Structure formats: structure tokens, C-alpha cells
Amino acid sequence: MAIQVGERVPNIELQVMGSNGPEKISTGELFAGKKVVVFAVPGAFTPTCSAAHLPGFVVNADQIKAKGVDSIVCTSVNDAFVMDAWGKASNAEEIVMLADGLAEFATAVGLTQDRTATKMGIRSQRYAMIVDDGVVTWLEVDEKGLEKTSAEAILAAL
């Protein structure tokens, strides 16, 4: 079952790219005492994710942060090298590119999808949430498209 509004985000250790390579970071560290926007995509460098989803957050990062958000996190079932390269290719300096290489976070929040039939393995669903001090205060999942999980949807929810 998917995580619900009012529930605490599970503490999972993931990775971000540091100056000397991949570094461990826990979701507890990311969310403790902060208001954080998280959006998840099925895969880095994939068409919708690269053409619309991530760019929307890049363009609107300042407006989102102006509404009291401490950080914006993009997560995907990719490794830290891929997430870092995608962030750089997308000019996503204001966004934490969080690598969920083994789908541990997506699984822990109950938002995976099985794409093994198309040789993509277990992936994250496309979702967005607002997390305040580790507790989900808003959550939307897009079955198709990204109307519910776009940067504009987040801005409307803040």
C-alpha cells in the first residue's frame, strides 16, 4: 500500500553524487526539520521525464522555494552516476538528484511499478509529495502524463 498523507517517510539510505563520487544520504537527513518537495520519475533520461517533468522543476525552483520549501528532490531508480549526469545535462543545480538504485525508497513508500515485461525492471511510479519534517502533507500519483505531479501542481498545492 502506498504511503498516505499524515504518515512519516521511511528512513532509507540512498545516494547522491558528491565531489569524490557517490555519497550515502538517508531520507531522515533529507527531511528532518525541513519542508521538502519530492518528485519521482520512472527513469532518468526518459522522454517525458527529460522533456517535461524535470525541466518544469528546474524552471520553477525559485518560485517553489519562495513558498517556504527548503529543498527539491528528484528521485528515480537509477544509480548516482546517472542521476548526476542527468541533473547536469538538465541544468538542475537547485535540485537534489537522489539515486534509488535498488528501488528501496520507491518500495518503502509503496510506489513502484513492474516494468519487467519491457526489460526495464522495477521502477518508481511517477509521483510528487510535499514532506514537512519527515511527514507527508501532500501526495499525488500520475498514472499517465504528469498533470498531478508537475511543478505547477506543486506550486498550486503549496
Side-chain angles (χ1 to χ4, degrees), residues 42-44 76-78 106 111-113 115 120-125:
S76 183
V77 180
N78 291 104
L111 291 166
T112 59
Q113 59 179 311
R115 293 219 176 156
M120 291 179 67
I122 300 299
R123 295 289 175 146
S124 176
Q125 292 183 45

Side-chain angles (χ1 to χ4, degrees), residues 8-104:
R8 182 161 292 283
V9 174
N11 191 18
I12 304 292
E13 191 174 86
L14 301 170
Q15 289 186 326
V16 292
M17 186 58 74
S19 56
N20 295 317
E23 296 177 353
K24 295 176 183 179
I25 188 166
S26 72
T27 53
E29 287 177 71
L30 282 172
F31 301 131
K34 300 174 193 154
K35 187 172 195 173
V36 180
V37 166
V38 180
F39 69 102
V41 298
F45 290 108
T46 57
T48 301
C49 305
S50 290
H53 209 175
L54 178 57
F57 283 92
V58 170
V59 168
N60 290 292
D62 289 340
Q63 289 180 57
I64 291 169
K65 288 186 174 183
K67 291 199 172 210
V69 171
D70 296 298
S71 62
I72 303 167
V73 174
C74 174
T75 184
S76 183
V77 180
N78 291 104
D79 64 56
F81 294 98
V82 170
M83 292 300 287
D84 183 57
W86 189 39
K88 286 177 179 171
S90 303
N91 299 311
E93 296 88 18
E94 294 292 315
I95 298 171
V96 176
M97 302 302 284
L98 185 65
D100 186 13
L102 299 175
E104 292 169 293

Side-chain angles (χ1 to χ4, degrees), residues 2-5 109 111 127-130 136-141:
I3 194 166
Q4 302 292 307
V5 169
V109 296
L111 291 166
Y127 66 88
M129 66 173 81
I130 299 170
V136 178
T137 59
W138 181 89
L139 172 69
E140 288 290 342
V141 178

